[in-house]
Amino acid sequence: MATVAGTAISITARPSRRSLQVFNGISVVKSVSFASQRKSFPSIRSHPATPCFRVSCAAKPETLEKVCKIVKKQLALPENSTVAGHSKFSDLGADSLDTVEIVMGLEEAFGITVEEDSAQSIVTVQDAADLIEDLVCVKSA
Amino acid sequence: MRRLLRGDMLPLLSNLVSRRLVISSLPSLPPAPLPSRREAHLWYVVPNELEDASLLQDYRELLSPCEKENILSIKGEALKKCAILSRVLVRTTLSRYTDCKVNPRLFKFRKNRFGKPEVERQIGALWVSSSLQFNISHTSSMIACGITVDVPIGIDIEEKQRKPVNNILSLAHRYFSPYEVQYLASFMDPETQQSEFLRLWTLKEAYVKALGRGFSGAPFRDFTIRFEKSTDSVVPEQPKSEEFRIMIDTAFDSENLTANWQFALVELGGSHLAAICMEKDENMSGTEQDFLKLKVWKTLPYVEDKCMSETDAVKNISGLS
């Protein structure tokens, strides 16, 4: 955690907490906020068309690959089926039980814990990989 | 014969807009009478029964431009078909409850602040006179739409035989309340444990969907679903069921997780579990509140509707009056 001396701003390494609801495959980003920055920055409302503000870098290719493998296994997709970063879980036929199972599978594979609201914020496979990268970073920091 | 034209179907009350948009060979839908306050209606479709490619094409034409675009990004014919059927089921079901005055194509949807889809009552110059509430759920082998008037509803369906990839107790430890974990752990037989897990899962899903908050707005760990043995003397006319009631406990300090909801759990078509959750009617006395009335239809829109209530296809597990 870094603090800028002389000001009240602090930046945590925690992943952005986004609250997304997924209903029947349609997801809506409710808001984006940083817990420790609430006084300095208002929560940013965004919708799927605008990029979400995050303090993180994109996932490493090997992370994404591992995630794709776990997703294919959970959804029982054939080996040669296309699961890429841009694939939406709902488009892959994942229902809510699949989603929580995938999250659990990812937690076990990467040794991390994904919070309930972040879990539901995952729309694409890339989102999942990015979130995992954040959490793995925090864990090893 | 691909489509059945029933003699008692009312003519579609079309308006200029719908005549311009819809040059369709689809016949009219039969209207459906509105559910009463304590009633939920459930319509379900079995994707495998749709084999006619041109009917699927006609269905696709009922979708909004946005929905059509979403379908394009789905890979795989089976998934595309389910996605189309899902939208068609919602649109045609809603249309039935407007006495078929509103063409299925015309419905517009918005989302509540948590993302739950709701239907707009104002559609151009038309006004949908009842506050229709709906909720959909789907598996690869069945899609269902629940309907109520005025009262929020949530439904969830699952294949009875669905076996989670992960260990059931691990899933429960991770997501369920301590009471529910204990409950599941009490079952030694893995198949029974699996079945009880699915029952809890569908009921919990139905609840968070009825609340309109979804999984992250109402974390599963924060409320408990339990099965309480009913005492016969209290409800003399209780139908054949496993004689238990579905109860919900929410944390004492929870503003958002309310407990005035009633549940029903049924087996559909011998293959699926369906959980239905709707708000209790405070005007009803005591235990009357606990049971909800359910009517079920199986449909292939514009082809066939079959009322399945009172048949073997709908088996009450708990909660139905």
Side-chain angles (χ1 to χ4, degrees), chain B residues 28-267:
Chain B
S28 308
L29 283 166
L34 293 168
S36 69
R37 172 59 181 80
R38 273 176 62 212
E39 238 179 21
H41 288 183
L42 192 75
W43 294 77
Y44 72 91
V45 65
V46 177
N48 282 348
E49 291 181 0
L50 170 61
E51 288 167 336
D52 186 337
S54 63
L55 179 57
L56 186 61
Q57 190 50 38
D58 284 340
Y59 282 166
R60 198 191 282 249
E61 291 311 308
L62 295 176
L63 272 44
S64 70
C66 184
E67 287 166 346
K68 283 181 190 164
E69 215 179 286
N70 287 341
I71 304 292
L72 289 174
S73 64
I74 296 171
K75 305 272 182 307
E77 293 313 306
L79 285 176
K80 273 197 215 282
K81 181 164 124 180
C82 279
I84 294 169
L85 273 174
S86 181
R87 298 315 303 159
V88 166
L89 181 63
V90 178
R91 287 175 173 277
T92 54
T93 305
L94 287 170
S95 176
R96 296 171 196 274
Y97 291 99
T98 66
D99 224 17
C100 294
K101 290 185 178 120
V102 179
N103 188 294
R105 290 184 70 132
L106 298 180
F107 288 100
K108 291 207 190 310
F109 301 90
R110 61 167 186 270
K111 296 198 181 89
N112 78 359
R113 62 192 181 106
F114 296 101
K116 180 178 184 181
E118 295 171 345
V119 61
E120 301 264 18
R121 287 178 74 174
Q122 184 90 44
I123 305 168
L126 296 172
W127 172 259
V128 180
S129 55
S130 335
S131 170
L132 291 170
Q133 305 288 318
F134 74 94
N135 195 233
I136 35 175
S137 176
H138 46 79
T139 67
S140 55
S141 48
M142 186 188 280
I143 304 163
C145 178
I147 295 275
T148 49
V149 168
D150 288 336
V151 192
I153 178 174
I155 69 166
D156 192 55
I157 60 172
E158 277 305 338
E159 285 171 10
K160 252 175 59 177
Q161 298 303 324
R162 180 169 183 165
K163 194 168 153 49
V165 172
N166 291 282
N167 172 271
I168 281 170
L169 286 180
S170 304
L171 274 171
H173 268 291
R174 178 68 185 78
Y175 292 108
F176 284 8
S177 75
Y179 181 96
E180 289 162 341
V181 176
Q182 234 183 339
Y183 174 76
L184 287 173
S186 72
F187 293 96
M188 293 299 119
D189 172 43
E191 275 186 32
T192 315
Q193 196 184 69
Q194 185 185 309
S195 159
E196 293 297 316
F197 172 83
L198 283 180
R199 287 181 174 193
L200 284 177
W201 178 270
T202 52
L203 285 164
K204 290 168 87 73
E205 268 290 293
Y207 172 65
V208 301
K209 290 170 81 181
L211 270 183
R213 300 181 74 90
F215 188 86
S216 53
F220 275 19
R221 186 177 293 110
D222 292 353
F223 63 94
T224 292
I225 298 274
R226 57 185 173 81
F227 306 115
E228 193 176 83
K229 260 200 165 319
S230 330
T231 41
D232 286 334
S233 55
V234 175
V235 186
E237 279 163 36
Q238 191 161 10
K240 277 176 262 167
S241 71
E242 291 176 17
E243 320 241 321
F244 60 85
R245 281 202 291 220
I246 302 163
M247 311 292 289
I248 181 165
D249 297 329
T250 59
F252 174 70
D253 58 352
S254 175
E255 296 170 4
N256 299 320
L257 301 182
T258 47
N260 58 324
W261 298 86
Q262 56 185 159
F263 295 86
L265 191 64
V266 300
E267 201 182 274

Side-chain angles (χ1 to χ4, degrees), chain A residues 18-34:
Chain A
R18 290 179 293 168
S19 293
L20 264 184
Q21 301 293 318
V22 180
F23 272 99
N24 300 310
I26 304 160
S27 57
V28 172
V29 177
K30 191 175 82 164
S31 68
V32 173
S33 62
F34 285 90

